[in-house]
Amino acid sequence: MMQAKKALSYAVKAGAEEAEVYMLVGRSVSIDLRKEEIDLAREGFVEGIGIRAIVNGAVGFASTNNPSQVEEAAVLAVKSARVRAKDPEWKGLPYAKKYPYVKGIFDRRISELDASRCIDYAVGLIGGVDSWKDVRPTSGRLMAADSSQIILNTNGVVVEERDTILEASIEAIARDGGTSTAYEFDVSRGLDIDFYQVGAKAAELAYKSLGGRGFETQSTNVLLRPQALADILENTLIPSLRADNVQKGRSALIGKLGERIAAESLTIVDDGILEGGIGTSRSDDEGTPSQRNAIVKNGVLETYLHDSYTAGKEGIQSTGNAIRPSYGATPMIGIRNLILEHPSCDVIASTDKGVLVSTVIGAHTSNPVSGDFSLEARNVFVIKDGELAEPIRSLMISGNIFDLLGRIDAVGKDVRTIGNVILPTVRFADMRVVG
Amino acid sequence: MVDFYDIRVIDGSSLSIVLDNGEIKEVSNNFSRGASARALKGGSWGFASSDDIDRLDAIKKSAIKIAEQTHSKRPRERINLAQVARPEPGSLPGVRINPENISIEEKVELLKNIDTASRVKGISSTNAVYSEARVHVRYMSSEDFDLEYQLRRVGFAITAVASSNGVYQIGQESRFGVCGFELFDRYDALALAEKAGKTAVDLLSAEAPRGGMLPVILDPELAGVFIHEAVGHGVEADHVIEGNSVLEGKLGERIASPLITIYDDPSMPEYGYYPFDDEGSGSNKTTIIEEGVLKSYLHSRETAGKLGGTSRNARAMGYARPLVRMSNTYIEKGNLSFEEMLEQLKNGIYLIGSRGGQVNPGEGIFQFNAERGYLVEGGKTTKLFRDVSLSGDTLEILKNVEGVGNDLEMHSGRCGKAGQLVPVSDGAPHILVSRALVGGRG
């Protein structure tokens, strides 16, 4: 805290009219797996400061992880601001407010993990895969991190927070004449991941995908499981919800506030204070208090995702969606915990005919502006008379997310947390699949 | 006791300036330093890193402890590290003008001029980037190495977009080097920016070619990308060991036309330069292919210990874990002038520049998009094409080379592998290929 306060005063001394300091201190332990073996076990410490300085409505930025260079960085941030033209849209950094109390984002047991314990957990992942005959792991990763962040600004913002995260992932290959692969993962704020189960689930999916057949090109019911749909949403819907993209003309949702953009049965919430959420914290990464925002309510678009800059441009309040990938970068707009809410049913049992898609490859090739995508579906199964039937070898799915959101016709009870997106399996009627 | 350990300490700073449509979008200054330690026990590596370089002893102990814990819990086949050549003290590429002595205002001014130069008639938007970096590396190991060097890198990139009736076309130019601000004396940045603008505008009225199996000439940039992506990644020995390279088991075999000789040379003063790699191995030229025969893979100490060969290509981004990487990879020049090559081609397509692509190194299949192309008729370039791509089988293309130019050119870039980006360059002269699959739109 001392160092952060010093950095702020250096920036003011150098001539900043407003200034902000973001400081991150963290420790992580990770285990990389290759096949059955520990490829590398490691421990890492990070500590650094990012400084934003504002002079005459222009923003400059510098970062450092060297305590002896904090003053130099502050001066450079101010110099960088001075070479820029005044931005009339800049309305200022956030002001101090009351911050919510959030639960379930720190687990002392994770902060105390060492490499030795993490190796045991990684061996658990491998054991889960190996519990299936003819299935072996190809690669995997286990990571535990403990991070503390401090945000200070000249408008009185002082936010301090500490959180933990634990992630486990594994890729498995099944061989039985042919081969098939599958990926499974889990992520949590607490030490509550069943590592063996993660491995066993990857193995089960790889095994059940063996012997896939061809599938005829057609339009049919497509059920996207949480991993597949989250991947598509992150590359289509979410970029269009970002107010910076809307303001720059790079969104399909321009001018759609207050309009129906999805089925009336669908509500999408972005919740920065969700208990135990991966995107949960007291404030966003520039000190705006976290809140729960209804983004889409009963199918109607209620708000875009804002940081203080895009909100200031429109004379409204930030929604608390400023996110920093590291202390070395300025904030950008992103989701906190995006939750799909919809009346649920036993979605597979209620499907006469269709396909179930577990994961997709190439979601990053989607068009983030139009929402069009054309992807390779993996670990796909035929659904016949309400039951899962044989696997399908190769299938392309294509569509437009905004078109599909209007055509959600059923949703499962299998709600899962996929990173920052929380969602169940969703069924879309009459979607194009190419075999 | 562990079998081996080493420690790297990195201290660097960087500045980047980004103009979006002529307005400053970003001025970002970053200081970063940190250290990492590796320790090897049997077949188990332990790794530790910290931003705090005053904790060298603590991270060394942590790496050793992790290696010992891994070894006792999950032992694996012993790793024998190949011996390394101690680097010979030599001179680093010179820096004539220290970029830190040039004011930020002057850099912004230069970038604005570059941006303006790219705005030829028909350009609708532009993006210009200036970057400079300084890095100091110190390497120490349990084998009594204690080495250090400092490098500076400077560069710029300009992208110009032309649009008409809903069609967008892009022209791009960039130059990066291991040098100081004199980069801008070496290259005419304004002329290159204008060229980027003109390319974008010209492409608006270009058509996509009819695809098919055709004789082609690759320009030095596209041929360089081909060598890096399709051949270079295939000779990274970690890929070979994982069974992810079509070049596995082919050492000593003729895999290319006898006209083809390929080197990787970190001692060359290009963008991929380093005086020693991130395991302390002195830099030197590796002959990958000599007159069509595959001579060597690229190695780290671990892969050279396993497969045999010389280790000099272990590189890391910052203080991350070193992996087998390329440095400056190029096709040696031949003896044809470009005019002679066009004459030899007679009828075909001349492919220019690169827009990226995909390679499956395990199967040796690739697909690259060229920036543009020309129809060649009777030994003359005629019609301009856009949306032109090159795809096929790496080994077939290498065998079908029928001419190598005398005009070697290097291009700088950053290469990604396992989440780590490192500076590299790739290069080639013009290359004549008798048969290659050229794709157009659709």
Side-chain angles (χ1 to χ4, degrees):
Chain A
M1 182 59 98
M2 274 293 291
Q3 212 185 75
K5 279 187 175 158
K6 263 192 196 159
L8 199 65
S9 63
Y10 287 140
V12 172
K13 201 176 95 190
E17 289 153 13
E18 287 180 275
E20 172 201 65
V21 169
Y22 175 88
M23 183 169 175
L24 187 72
V25 180
R27 170 183 172 269
S28 66
V29 178
S30 66
I31 311 295
D32 294 343
L33 299 174
R34 186 170 297 167
K35 297 185 178 161
E36 316 268 328
E37 296 183 327
I38 308 269
D39 184 41
L40 188 71
R42 65 179 119 197
E43 180 176 32
F45 297 87
V46 293
E47 175 167 358
I49 268 186
I51 303 167
R52 276 201 289 178
I54 292 92
V55 182
N56 190 27
V59 183
F61 179 78
S63 75
T64 180
N65 61 3
N66 180 348
S68 69
Q69 272 172 322
V70 169
E71 181 163 14
E72 204 176 328
V75 170
L76 276 173
V78 172
K79 272 191 185 169
S80 305
R82 286 212 169 105
V83 297
R84 304 184 64 168
K86 180 183 172 66
D87 182 350
E89 312 283 8
W90 175 263
K91 302 284 159 54
L93 292 166
Y95 279 84
K97 298 233 175 65
K98 197 167 155 27
Y99 293 97
Y101 174 68
V102 295
K103 282 192 282 191
I105 61 169
F106 178 77
D107 186 335
R108 183 157 303 278
R109 293 171 301 171
I110 292 180
S111 70
E112 288 165 356
L113 285 178
D114 65 359
S116 179
R117 285 287 296 284
C118 289
I119 289 169
D120 294 340
Y121 298 149
V123 170
L125 275 173
I126 295 172
V129 176
D130 287 346
S131 68
W132 281 74
K133 192 174 158 287
D134 300 327
V135 191
R136 293 291 169 264
T138 54
S139 65
R141 186 172 156 82
L142 188 129
M143 197 276 295
D146 171 10
S147 322
S148 300
Q149 68 173 40
I150 295 174
I151 304 165
L152 292 183
N153 76 22
T154 48
N155 292 339
V157 164
V158 181
V159 185
E160 239 187 310
E161 187 133 62
R162 184 173 178 187
D163 61 33
T164 49
I165 194 159
L166 182 63
E167 294 174 8
S169 63
I170 192 138
E171 173 110 19
I173 184 161
R175 286 193 182 86
D176 181 17
T179 63
S180 75
T181 60
Y183 170 84
E184 187 56 67
F185 77 103
D186 203 356
V187 51
S188 178
R189 294 291 200 174
L191 188 55
D192 54 8
I193 292 179
D194 186 336
F195 302 99
Y196 186 88
Q197 263 307 314
V198 173
K201 275 181 103 185
E204 179 180 4
L205 188 56
Y207 187 82
K208 290 188 170 165
S209 302
L210 278 172
R213 300 199 210 137
F215 193 74
E216 237 169 78
T217 297
Q218 58 190 271
S219 289
T220 186
N221 289 312
V222 174
L223 281 69
L224 297 177
R225 294 180 69 192
Q227 268 196 51
L229 183 55
D231 208 359
I232 294 172
L233 292 177
E234 275 168 21
N235 290 284
T236 54
L237 173 67
I238 293 168
S240 273
L241 287 172
R242 285 170 44 174
D244 55 338
N245 286 337
V246 172
Q247 291 172 357
K248 285 176 189 161
R250 296 173 190 158
S251 161
L253 297 176
I254 293 168
K256 295 273 167 78
L257 279 185
E259 287 187 23
R260 262 284 291 279
I261 64 156
E264 211 175 331
S265 48
L266 181 71
T267 289
I268 302 178
V269 172
D270 185 52
D271 188 351
I273 53 177
L274 178 75
E275 181 171 349
I278 300 306
T280 298
S281 59
R282 297 172 65 208
S283 80
D284 73 357
D285 289 342
E286 59 176 3
T288 298
S290 296
Q291 58 189 55
R292 184 183 152 92
N293 300 300
I295 306 296
V296 174
K297 199 169 180 183
N298 302 327
V300 175
L301 180 63
E302 297 279 314
T303 180
Y304 302 118
L305 304 173
H306 284 279
D307 62 11
S308 62
Y309 178 77
T310 61
K313 218 166 169 170
E314 288 174 22
I316 58 175
Q317 294 296 310
S318 166
T319 53
N321 287 93
I323 304 290
R324 295 198 206 227
S326 85
Y327 63 82
T330 52
M332 53 183 278
I333 295 179
I335 55 167
R336 304 293 298 279
N337 298 292
L338 195 84
I339 307 165
L340 261 59
E341 296 177 350
H342 192 283
S344 65
C345 66
D346 192 345
V347 68
I348 292 175
S350 73
T351 304
D352 290 346
K353 165 176 177 296
V355 295
L356 178 73
V357 173
S358 305
T359 52
V360 292
I361 296 183
H364 65 279
T365 64
S366 308
N367 185 324
V369 180
S370 68
D372 288 329
F373 61 86
S374 175
L375 307 169
E376 188 186 342
R378 286 182 69 199
N379 306 116
V380 186
F381 300 90
V382 174
I383 301 174
K384 251 187 236 151
D385 303 324
E387 281 181 25
L388 277 189
E390 72 272 12
I392 297 170
R393 192 175 55 240
S394 165
L395 196 68
M396 295 291 292
I397 56 170
S398 57
N400 177 287
I401 194 65
F402 301 104
D403 170 48
L404 289 173
L405 287 176
R407 295 197 285 124
I408 288 184
D409 77 347
V411 158
K413 295 179 187 298
D414 57 340
V415 176
R416 264 197 76 174
T417 299
I418 308 295
N420 290 23
V421 185
I422 298 165
L423 74 179
T425 293
V426 176
R427 185 173 76 202
F428 300 97
D430 207 21
M431 192 169 153
R432 186 83 182 148
V433 301
V434 178
Chain B
M1 271 301 286
V2 290
D3 304 315
F4 170 81
Y5 68 79
D6 62 5
I7 298 168
R8 279 179 308 123
V9 185
I10 313 290
D11 184 345
S13 59
S14 65
L15 165 69
S16 69
I17 305 172
V18 182
L19 298 188
D20 195 20
N21 279 327
E23 292 295 319
I24 299 176
K25 182 184 171 199
E26 186 185 312
V27 178
S28 178
N29 308 273
N30 295 284
F31 294 101
S32 88
R33 60 177 199 169
S36 63
R38 290 191 307 175
L40 179 64
K41 172 84 177 173
S44 299
W45 284 109
F47 189 92
S49 62
S50 173
D51 286 354
D52 183 352
I53 63 173
D54 299 328
R55 303 182 66 232
L56 290 188
D57 201 50
I59 60 167
K60 183 180 103 184
K61 282 184 178 145
S62 170
I64 288 172
K65 187 173 154 202
I66 291 170
E68 287 172 340
Q69 284 172 338
T70 310
H71 178 68
S72 72
K73 290 209 160 189
R74 195 92 180 165
R76 49 188 293 205
E77 188 190 340
R78 186 181 168 78
I79 291 170
N80 294 301
L81 298 178
Q83 289 306 307
V84 296
R86 265 176 207 264
E88 310 202 356
S91 56
L92 297 172
V95 172
R96 234 179 55 234
I97 307 171
N98 182 349
E100 286 172 21
N101 294 339
I102 308 274
S103 74
I104 191 161
E105 287 79 7
E106 194 174 324
K107 289 165 188 164
V108 169
E109 177 75 23
L110 172 68
L111 199 55
K112 285 194 166 163
N113 290 339
I114 291 173
D115 183 82
T116 306
S118 76
R119 296 182 162 269
V120 299
K121 191 165 181 292
I123 293 298
S124 56
S125 74
T126 56
N127 183 276
V129 180
Y130 166 85
S131 74
E132 68 182 45
R134 175 193 62 81
V135 63
H136 183 274
V137 178
R138 182 171 175 205
Y139 178 85
M140 292 168 278
S141 80
S142 55
E143 294 168 349
D144 276 340
F145 277 58
D146 191 349
L147 312 165
E148 61 182 332
Y149 67 83
Q150 174 163 293
L151 290 182
R152 287 184 186 277
R153 295 188 175 90
V154 168
F156 73 95
I158 174 85
T159 305
V161 180
S163 64
S164 154
N165 301 324
V167 179
Y168 292 85
Q169 288 297 322
I170 299 174
Q172 281 173 312
E173 290 292 338
S174 64
R175 294 293 183 274
F176 292 86
V178 177
C179 58
F181 210 68
E182 68 273 14
L183 178 98
F184 295 97
D185 298 335
R186 199 186 299 170
Y187 300 109
D188 187 343
L190 301 185
L192 286 165
E194 190 182 340
K195 185 177 159 208
K198 281 184 173 155
T199 298
V201 173
D202 289 348
L203 286 174
L204 280 180
S205 52
E207 288 171 26
R210 263 226 321 264
M213 276 300 219
L214 295 166
V216 298
I217 293 174
L218 311 185
D219 88 322
E221 184 178 346
L222 185 61
V225 169
F226 169 72
I227 287 309
H228 174 98
E229 299 289 348
V231 180
H233 283 299
V235 294
E236 290 170 344
D238 52 349
H239 283 161
V240 175
I241 289 170
E242 281 161 31
N244 192 25
S245 169
V246 71
L247 299 175
E248 179 183 351
K250 292 204 159 59
L251 282 183
E253 275 183 37
R254 162 142 295 156
I255 61 161
S257 150
L259 297 171
I260 290 286
T261 293
I262 298 176
Y263 298 113
D264 181 88
D265 186 0
S267 68
M268 204 178 184
E270 292 289 339
Y271 202 50
Y273 171 87
Y274 45 86
F276 54 85
D277 76 359
D278 288 321
E279 294 183 316
S281 307
S283 291
N284 218 329
K285 184 148 97 176
T286 300
T287 305
I288 297 172
I289 294 176
E290 188 172 48
E291 295 176 355
V293 177
L294 182 63
K295 287 290 189 183
S296 177
Y297 300 128
L298 298 176
H299 287 290
S300 65
R301 295 187 65 181
E302 180 175 342
T303 65
K306 187 159 181 148
L307 298 183
T310 308
S311 157
R312 50 173 79 110
N313 285 79
R315 304 183 66 188
M317 179 167 82
Y319 57 64
R321 171 198 203 185
L323 303 168
V324 181
R325 307 302 297 265
M326 282 170 262
S327 62
N328 304 303
T329 317
Y330 63 98
I331 303 179
E332 179 65 311
K333 66 182 180 207
N335 47 27
L336 285 183
S337 72
F338 182 54
E339 289 69 31
E340 289 167 334
M341 192 177 282
L342 279 175
E343 202 50 43
Q344 194 178 327
L345 178 74
K346 277 279 179 320
N347 298 306
I349 293 195
Y350 173 32
L351 298 159
I352 303 169
S354 167
R355 290 268 170 85
Q358 297 170 32
V359 177
N360 180 330
E363 292 175 32
I365 295 169
F366 70 90
Q367 189 262 330
F368 295 125
N369 300 311
E371 183 180 69
R372 61 196 196 278
Y374 283 97
L375 185 63
V376 179
E377 296 169 296
K380 298 260 182 304
T381 57
T382 55
K383 193 170 167 187
L384 179 68
F385 288 133
R386 71 185 189 208
D387 300 324
V388 46
S389 68
L390 178 74
S391 58
D393 185 303
T394 306
L395 295 176
E396 256 173 53
I397 295 282
L398 287 173
K399 286 191 176 122
N400 291 344
V401 170
E402 289 193 342
V404 175
N406 59 8
D407 46 1
L408 171 65
E409 254 181 56
M410 302 298 290
H411 287 264
S412 309
R414 293 203 296 170
C415 168
K417 180 172 173 181
Q420 296 189 38
L421 289 171
V422 295
V424 295
S425 75
D426 46 60
H430 279 91
I431 299 289
L432 174 64
V433 182
S434 61
R435 267 168 64 83
L437 187 60
V438 175
R441 177 137 293 217

